[in-house]
Amino acid sequence: MVQVAVCGPASASPTQVAQARRVGELLATRGATVLCGGGGGVMAAVAAGARAHGGLVIAVRPDDGTGAGPYAQASATLLTNLGQARNAVLVCSADAVIAVGGSWGTLSEVALAMRRGDVPVVVLGGWRVVDDSGVPVAGPCHVDTPEEAVRLALTADGGS
């Protein structure tokens, strides 16, 4: 079973929440396991979308789980107590990474996945990294729809 990490901000816009939910639905209907951070915003939305369609969702939490959280949508939760270092655990456990929107944590997850070099990395509505001349740096595939994000994430070459 393919594991797809879906990353995105906890403080997500309504558009990002809707896109993440749709990504979760699409991944579940294709039999993929969804990995996420187990927080709010994009993470809660992708989990809800996947679970609504019978999908398996694994939340990789940065804490020890002492507080209540939106990770109740997950099928299972891994409590890493690693803080932001859990981002490495999340993306290193994935066969593909989809970022919905952007935040500093999301950017770190995209960067870690790109450094791996062996997984498709797809960005839906997130940041674009440019060099000192303002030219976009080669890296993740940027897409406009959840359907395109899932399609590219589930191909062997990430669409490149």
Side-chain angles (χ1 to χ4, degrees):
M1 179 177 282
V2 66
Q3 298 187 151
V4 179
V6 181
C7 309
S11 297
S13 71
T15 297
Q16 292 166 342
V17 167
Q19 290 173 328
R21 183 174 178 92
R22 182 69 179 142
V23 166
E25 293 168 353
L26 293 166
L27 289 170
T29 60
R30 287 165 177 77
T33 297
V34 173
L35 306 176
C36 69
V42 164
M43 298 168 278
V46 73
R51 295 283 289 167
H53 285 77
L56 178 63
V57 179
I58 308 298
V60 182
R61 294 290 304 154
D63 52 25
D64 63 5
T66 55
Y71 50 87
Q73 287 284 347
S75 307
T77 302
L78 300 176
L79 303 174
T80 69
N81 208 23
L82 292 172
Q84 292 302 304
R86 74 85 196 267
N87 293 355
V89 174
L90 179 65
V91 299
C92 287
S93 299
D95 299 306
V97 175
I98 298 173
V100 179
S103 66
W104 289 113
T106 307
L107 184 60
S108 76
E109 291 161 327
V110 169
L112 289 166
M114 289 305 303
R115 292 289 294 171
R116 273 188 62 187
D118 62 349
V119 295
V121 181
V122 182
V123 176
L124 174 59
W127 297 353
R128 293 181 184 263
V129 179
V130 297
D131 66 16
D132 58 355
S133 302
V135 176
V137 174
C141 298
H142 290 269
V143 298
D144 297 318
T145 68
E147 291 77 12
E148 190 177 11
V150 169
R151 182 180 60 78
L152 290 177
L154 295 179
T155 61
D157 64 0
S160 36

